[in-house]
Amino acid sequence: MYRIMIVEDDEAIQNSLKQALLGWGFEVRTLRSFKQIVEEVIAWKPDLILMDLYLPEKNGFYWTAQIRKISSLPIIFISSADENSSILTALTQGADDYITKPFDMTILVSKIQALLRRTYDYTPKSNILEHHQVRLDTDSGEVFYKDQSIVLSKNEERILKILMEHKNQIVSRETLMEALWKTGCYIDENTLSVNINRLRKKLLALGLEDYIQTRKGKGYMI
């Protein structure tokens, strides 16, 4: 599991980043104090750092330069400053990439994965399925959307997994029942309907209305 350290003093952004990255299978560490960042890096040994530009006392430029004295680990700047001068300074001080706030989490994750691939021959976890910003971790049975998550039952997770594996395609009720039957769970028309309804309610709690669509007489799709 790759380690990502978040050096960001805005607690809301910090928590949002942490929850999203945990959903992608990363180990995440956030900082409460920003006075001994180099010591924190030495102690925890992250594989990648997300570095904010504006920090208490000393800025991200300073800390990136200090980290570069002891490590070549990947550093991505996250900042609301989009001036060319800020981007150039960050890269000159040793940053590997730069992304401006507000940003799309999927783009940030793509940048993280690209840097990890180049640095460590990293391959993203294959147990994560994603469609329209919804991520399903088939190991934990958790669904992640934006900064929220919810745990599914085994049957709910299996149904969503099949639908996500066939995104933009209609999956028949027979296909879903057959797939669940193979797992050793007794499943019939009524049981499938109950599980679909429960799954929809959980997705709705995440703010996902009509994520699973019914195609009358044919089946379901996302």
Side-chain angles (χ1 to χ4, degrees), residues 7-184:
V7 183
E8 164 66 66
D9 64 327
D10 186 308
E11 192 172 338
I13 296 175
Q14 186 186 96
N15 290 335
S16 178
L17 285 169
K18 181 177 181 179
Q19 291 304 314
L21 292 172
L22 288 172
W24 280 91
F26 296 110
E27 188 175 347
V28 182
R29 184 181 182 89
T30 57
L31 304 183
R32 293 184 178 276
S33 171
F34 300 92
K35 295 181 179 180
Q36 296 181 312
I37 293 175
V38 174
E39 288 79 3
E40 294 274 3
V41 170
I42 293 171
W44 197 59
K45 297 179 176 62
D47 298 298
L48 183 144
I49 294 175
L50 297 179
M51 177 73 71
D52 187 22
L53 172 54
Y54 301 113
L55 296 168
E57 298 185 19
K58 297 176 181 177
N59 62 29
F61 297 147
Y62 171 85
W63 287 114
T64 297
Q66 296 306 304
I67 292 168
R68 279 291 169 258
K69 294 178 181 178
I70 56 102
S71 176
S72 60
L73 70 109
I75 298 175
I76 298 178
F77 259 70
I78 48 174
S79 174
S80 56
D82 60 355
E83 300 91 349
N84 287 339
S85 59
S86 296
I87 298 172
L88 181 59
T89 302
L91 298 175
T92 301
Q93 293 296 339
D96 296 276
D97 209 337
Y98 194 108
I99 186 169
T100 56
K101 304 173 185 175
F103 50 80
D104 187 314
M105 193 64 208
T106 57
I107 293 176
L108 177 60
V109 170
S110 296
K111 286 178 176 287
I112 289 171
Q113 291 175 339
L115 264 175
L116 291 176
R117 272 196 302 273
R118 292 199 296 269
T119 309
Y120 309 108
D121 193 27
Y122 160 82
T123 302
K125 291 176 66 177
S126 60
N127 62 325
I128 300 290
L129 297 174
E130 183 183 15
H131 183 59
H132 288 167
Q133 300 182 53
V134 178
R135 297 185 307 283
L136 170 66
D137 185 331
T138 57
D139 281 348
S140 66
E142 288 182 273
V143 177
F144 299 84
Y145 180 64
K146 296 183 178 179
D147 59 347
Q148 301 181 82
S149 66
I150 198 164
V151 178
L152 304 180
S153 71
K154 285 294 183 182
N155 279 353
E156 292 163 355
E157 181 267 322
R158 287 165 183 151
I159 291 169
L160 186 58
K161 178 176 182 289
I162 293 168
L163 292 175
M164 294 185 82
E165 287 174 338
H166 297 82
K167 56 190 176 185
N168 300 317
Q169 302 175 36
I170 297 174
V171 180
S172 69
R173 292 178 62 87
E174 291 75 17
T175 297
L176 290 171
M177 288 189 291
E178 182 180 354
L180 294 178
W181 179 261
K182 288 178 180 177
T183 66

